[in-house]
Amino acid sequence: MTRVVMTACMRAALAAALLALPLTTMSPASAADADLVALPMTLQQAVAALPTAAESREGYQRSRFQHWTDEDRDGCNTREEVLIAESRTAPTIAAGCKVTAGQWHSYYDGETVAQPRGLDIDHMVALAEAWDSGASTWSAERRRAYANDLGDERSLVAVTARSNRSKADQDPAEWQPPLADARCTYTTHWVATKLRWGLTVDKAEQQALRELAAGCGQETVEYEPVG
């Protein structure tokens, strides 16, 4: 079995494990999740389903989210797993599961990259933004699961380092992909990630998502809630 196929299988196994993770406190969206996941929603409906709350960065430290771990103990950390899964050609993998070459499409800016050193693995909803939106109440175990979420391919994405660092920890009210054709996809993935993890939005973010969704009439959202 090739490593690419193995990685796809491992992602499926991780998805099942993530669904069993407990919350330390019940998320605002969790009560409705069973109904929301039953059928696809339009993007506008999905935005409306997001709970609103004020954000607070108090107490945030990036180290509170243990990331780039080897969750399935196959010798590949989360960064390498994403690189392997998203390469459009069979990637070159050196000892220690170090990906050294492949071909990646950075959908934020439309660039094609052949060397992984030019890529960042972006958390769709940045760790700091997740903290602001509810992760501050989570257990360390749940934050680790979030930071290494291989159970949904939208949660982590390989993009050019330049585009990721331009985004930083901003939400869609503050940053959108420079490639206009990517914005509906990005908005859909953002909303799906927040719903998946029971994260809230603030008022400015909610308004920006509503405006974006109004121009993305064909987009639908499906997700599996974690916890």
Side-chain angles (χ1 to χ4, degrees):
M1 184 181 292
T2 67
R3 183 173 289 276
V4 173
V5 173
M6 289 174 63
T7 299
C9 295
M10 290 166 184
R11 280 195 166 197
L14 281 169
L18 283 170
L19 293 177
L21 279 172
L23 275 166
T24 55
T25 58
M26 185 65 71
S27 72
S30 59
D33 278 341
D35 292 333
L36 292 175
V37 75
L39 293 170
M41 295 179 284
T42 67
L43 180 54
Q44 289 175 307
Q45 289 171 331
V47 170
L50 288 164
T52 58
E55 293 187 354
S56 173
R57 188 69 50 98
E58 183 178 356
Y60 171 72
Q61 295 178 359
R62 188 171 175 83
S63 60
R64 291 182 181 270
F65 294 81
Q66 187 180 3
H67 55 286
W68 304 165
T69 58
D70 181 5
E71 293 297 292
D72 54 11
R73 300 180 182 180
D74 68 343
C76 301
N77 68 29
T78 300
R79 173 182 166 84
E80 307 302 330
E81 297 270 20
V82 175
L83 290 173
I84 292 167
E86 295 192 3
S87 179
R88 293 187 165 188
T89 61
T92 302
I93 305 170
C97 195
K98 182 69 174 177
V99 179
T100 58
Q103 186 182 86
W104 295 270
H105 175 70
S106 169
Y107 87 86
Y108 289 1
D109 49 16
E111 293 193 18
T112 298
V113 179
Q115 297 297 323
R117 64 175 176 270
L119 296 166
D120 281 351
I121 306 303
D122 182 36
H123 290 92
M124 174 55 55
V125 177
L127 302 181
E129 169 67 20
W131 178 271
D132 297 351
S133 305
S136 60
T137 67
W138 293 353
S139 66
E141 180 187 23
R142 186 172 174 86
R143 285 195 291 268
R144 172 174 167 155
Y146 177 83
N148 298 280
D149 184 9
L150 295 173
D152 188 318
E153 63 185 10
R154 297 168 294 192
S155 296
L156 297 167
V157 58
V159 294
T160 59
R162 180 175 60 255
S163 64
N164 183 49
R165 293 167 197 183
S166 171
K167 172 188 171 183
D169 59 7
Q170 299 174 96
D171 68 31
E174 303 159 317
W175 186 90
Q176 296 167 27
L179 185 65
D181 288 348
R183 291 174 187 167
C184 287
T185 298
Y186 180 78
T187 302
T188 301
H189 291 184
W190 180 276
V191 172
T193 302
K194 284 222 159 178
L195 287 170
R196 172 171 167 79
W197 286 92
L199 296 170
T200 62
V201 294
D202 63 22
K203 290 183 177 179
E205 181 185 352
Q206 181 188 56
Q207 183 58 34
L209 291 171
R210 284 173 175 167
E211 293 172 1
L212 287 161
C216 301
Q218 302 304 311
E219 297 289 340
T220 59
V221 176
E222 292 182 82
Y223 70 97
E224 290 185 77
V226 178

